[in-house]
């Protein structure tokens, strides 16, 4: 992984940290400790390729902070990964686990490779090779990896199997994101989207708005978006627009139905990448409009659930005056420059690392269930998820009220303060 990239996500994660550290008056020792990762492991993974040659892949595990509990975070396989991206993501996991009040710290890992060019056998060797390098520094009581960009449940099972072969026992809690029936948790698929709506439900309640009197527009129609829409519909809300990427046309479209989209109908014409069949949608009566139309809809609620950097200083101007809630399902959908404008417009923002923390919360549940080797019913998972998300929402909301700061600032303040306190209580700083 190279250190040099035009945009350095680690510098912006550190800038965000510095700003919050000033807001909460964080003292010198804690500030210095939390500004960068506690530990970094950089290694090379040799793989005997199918053609008999050997390729060496650079691999990483970065542990930002584990004062609140073992580190948690994904392992990505990506050809353009940089060590600074992994550092930023590890730091971000620390804040996300802290805001959700999970007894976990933050970590992230990666391998520079392109899985598209690797056979299943080569991918298996890469997973096993990663674990051979990292095994003494990860595990159920140290650091629990999970799937991330271009890694999946199968990769986690190969990694777990290698870890168990090395350690000589069964440790299903060493990795999460495993298939249901092989140590995975029920409800993980729904968890992120449902979590978005649990927090939205509470925001509406606080603002005295009845969900059944609201409409929403959603960017994306993948895992997060579909489950968010499912639960929002159950609360009585009406989604009038969804947008998604069209693989064939290499552009995004918005699908509008003013009397409300039919989730089952749309799902039936959507591929597993979250792409809607344009021709079928048209024949079902949807208006097919340009990709950014989702943002300018006259609705009460916007749910970006696709990509980062969608609401910028420019595009924020497209948002209709009626919009009063923004629930960030995606990671980083709002550029920092757009935040003050959203505030002026009076939009209640549920920031990404609070709104989409349902995913990591359910991964934590998977870890707990795996460690107990006892698995919960689906209804148990959802009710526990609701409790965690609701209490995370109120912890952030109450702080934002008390300190008269935005929800995003409050979420950062709460998270950083919790981690700093754990470091202090342990006597580290
Ligand atoms: P996904 O791959 O299942 O779906 C992505 C959706 O976005 C697809 O419908 C795709 O067509 C659409 N899309 C892509 N480019 C678009 C564009 N330019 N305009 C409109 N739509 C576009 O992904 P997902 O798992 O639903 O994740 C969505 C976001 O949520 C990402 O930012 C991800 O990091 C974040 N997130 C996901 C989880 C999770 O558990 N899946 C957890 C936390 C955060």
């Amino acid at each position: 992984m190279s250190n040099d990239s035009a945009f350095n996500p680690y510098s912006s994660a550190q800038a965000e940290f510095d700003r919050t550290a000033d807001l909460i008056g964080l003292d010198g020792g804690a500030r210095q400790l939390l500004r960068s990762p506690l530990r970094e492991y950089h290694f090379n993974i040799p793989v005997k390729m199918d053609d008999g040659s050997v390729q060496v892949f650079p691999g990483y595990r970065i542990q930002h902070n584990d004062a609140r509990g073992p580190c948690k975070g994904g392992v990505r396989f990506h050809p353009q990964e940089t060590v600074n991206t992994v550092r930023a993501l590890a730091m971000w996991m620390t804040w996300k686990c802290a805001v959700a009040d999970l007894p976990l710290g933050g970590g992230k890992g990666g391998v520079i490779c392109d899985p598209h060019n690797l056979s299943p056998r080569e991918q298996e060797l890469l997973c096993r090779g990663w674990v051979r390098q990292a095994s003494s520094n990860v595990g159920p009581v140290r650091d629990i990896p999970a799937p991330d960009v271009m890694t999946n449940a199968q990769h986690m099972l190969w990694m777990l199997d290698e870890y168990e072969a090395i350690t000589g026992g069964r440790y299903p809690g060493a990795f999460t994101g495993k298939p249901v029936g092989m140590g995975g948790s029920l409800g993980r698929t729904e968890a992120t989207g449902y979590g978005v709506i649990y927090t939205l439900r509470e925001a509406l309640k606080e603002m005295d708005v009845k969900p059944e009197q609201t409409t929403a527009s959603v960017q994306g129609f993948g895992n997060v978006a579909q489950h968010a829409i499912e639960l929002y519909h159950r609360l009585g809300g009406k989604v009038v627009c969804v947008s998604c990427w069209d693989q064939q046309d290499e552009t995004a479209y918005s699908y509008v139905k003013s009397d409300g989209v039919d989730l089952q109908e749309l799902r039936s014409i959507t591929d597993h990448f979250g792409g809607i069949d344009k021709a079928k949608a048209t024949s079902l009566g949807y208006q097919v409009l340009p990709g950014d139309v989702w943002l300018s809809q006259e609705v009460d609620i916007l749910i970006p659930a696709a990509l980062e950097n969608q609401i910028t200083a420019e595009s924020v101007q497209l948002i209709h005056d009626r919009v009063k809630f923004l629930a960030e399902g995606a990671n980083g959908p709002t550029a920092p420059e757009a935040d003050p404008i959203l505030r002026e417009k009076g939009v209640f923002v549920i920031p990404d690392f609070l709104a989409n923390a349902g995913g990591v919360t359910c991964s934590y549940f998977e870890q707990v269930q795996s460690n107990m080797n006892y698995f919960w019913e689906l209804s148990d998972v959802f009710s526990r998820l609701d409790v965690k998300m609701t209490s995370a929402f109120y912890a952030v909301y109450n702080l934002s009220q008390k300190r008269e700061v935005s929800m995003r600032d409050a979420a950062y303040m709460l998270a950083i303060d919790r981690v700093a306190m754990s470091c202090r209580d342990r006597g580290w700083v």
Side-chain angles (χ1 to χ4, degrees), residues 43-346:
F43 38 81
N44 283 319
I45 307 166
V47 173
K48 279 213 179 82
M49 308 299 282
D50 293 347
D51 65 4
S53 69
V54 172
Q55 262 192 50
V56 178
F57 297 90
Y60 283 84
R61 187 68 183 173
I62 293 184
Q63 296 169 347
H64 172 258
N65 189 281
D66 58 4
R68 289 175 49 85
C71 294
K72 184 96 196 77
V75 181
R76 316 182 139 189
F77 284 180
H78 201 278
Q80 271 114 35
E81 203 60 271
T82 69
V83 68
N84 281 326
T85 308
V86 183
R87 286 183 180 124
L89 293 167
M91 187 190 263
W92 202 63
M93 282 305 295
T94 306
W95 312 145
K96 194 170 184 161
C97 290
V99 91
D101 205 12
L102 307 179
L104 296 169
K108 204 79 176 191
V111 178
I112 309 182
C113 68
D114 189 348
H116 295 111
N117 303 329
L118 298 172
S119 69
R121 179 194 152 275
E122 290 165 343
Q123 292 184 39
E124 177 176 347
L125 291 180
L126 194 53
C127 288
R128 292 184 185 278
W130 189 90
V131 171
R132 281 204 297 275
Q133 297 302 324
S135 65
S136 50
N137 302 304
V138 298
V141 294
R142 286 184 163 227
D143 181 359
I144 303 102
D148 204 283
V149 175
M150 288 204 262
T151 50
N152 56 34
Q154 175 64 75
H155 294 115
M156 293 306 110
L157 262 190
W158 284 326
M159 287 188 173
L160 176 68
D161 188 66
E162 188 68 20
Y163 182 81
E164 292 181 335
I166 291 168
T167 52
R170 288 283 177 257
Y171 298 100
F175 290 81
T176 64
K178 307 180 297 294
V180 172
M182 282 298 285
S185 176
L186 291 171
R188 176 63 188 88
T189 316
E190 298 89 339
T192 307
Y194 280 18
V196 172
I197 302 304
Y198 292 141
T199 60
L200 174 66
R201 180 194 62 203
E202 298 308 312
L204 292 169
K205 207 184 285 174
E206 282 306 312
M207 296 295 114
D208 223 3
V209 176
K210 295 205 170 8
E212 56 273 28
Q213 287 166 3
T214 62
T215 55
S217 175
V218 181
Q219 188 188 33
F221 197 61
N223 174 274
V224 178
Q226 289 187 28
H227 293 102
I229 295 170
E230 188 178 297
L231 190 57
Y232 173 66
H233 276 173
R234 259 195 261 148
L235 297 181
K238 186 165 83 172
V239 171
V240 296
C241 174
V242 301
S243 75
C244 69
W245 184 254
D246 189 295
Q247 197 63 37
Q248 212 173 356
D249 296 0
E250 296 192 350
T251 188
Y253 293 113
S254 299
Y255 296 85
V256 179
K257 206 174 220 183
S258 51
D259 53 356
V261 308
D262 178 330
L263 182 63
Q264 289 320 322
E265 180 184 82
L266 266 188
R267 271 180 168 159
S268 72
I269 57 165
T270 300
D271 63 29
H272 63 274
F273 300 108
I276 297 169
D277 184 315
K278 188 161 48 108
K280 288 184 181 158
T282 309
S283 68
L284 287 169
Y286 288 84
Q287 269 184 288
V288 183
L289 299 170
D292 60 0
V293 163
W294 77 277
L295 193 57
S296 56
Q297 293 295 299
E298 186 182 345
V299 290
D300 308 287
I301 300 161
L302 292 177
I303 306 176
L307 299 175
E308 63 288 338
N309 208 34
Q310 296 302 292
I311 302 172
T312 61
E314 278 167 23
S315 70
V316 70
Q317 306 296 351
L318 298 174
I319 295 180
H320 197 280
D321 285 343
R322 177 164 161 191
V323 172
K324 287 292 167 265
F325 298 88
L326 175 70
E328 296 183 337
N331 286 325
T334 307
E337 309 79 65
D339 261 334
I341 307 169
L342 288 167
R343 240 188 150 188
E344 270 166 38
K345 283 173 167 280

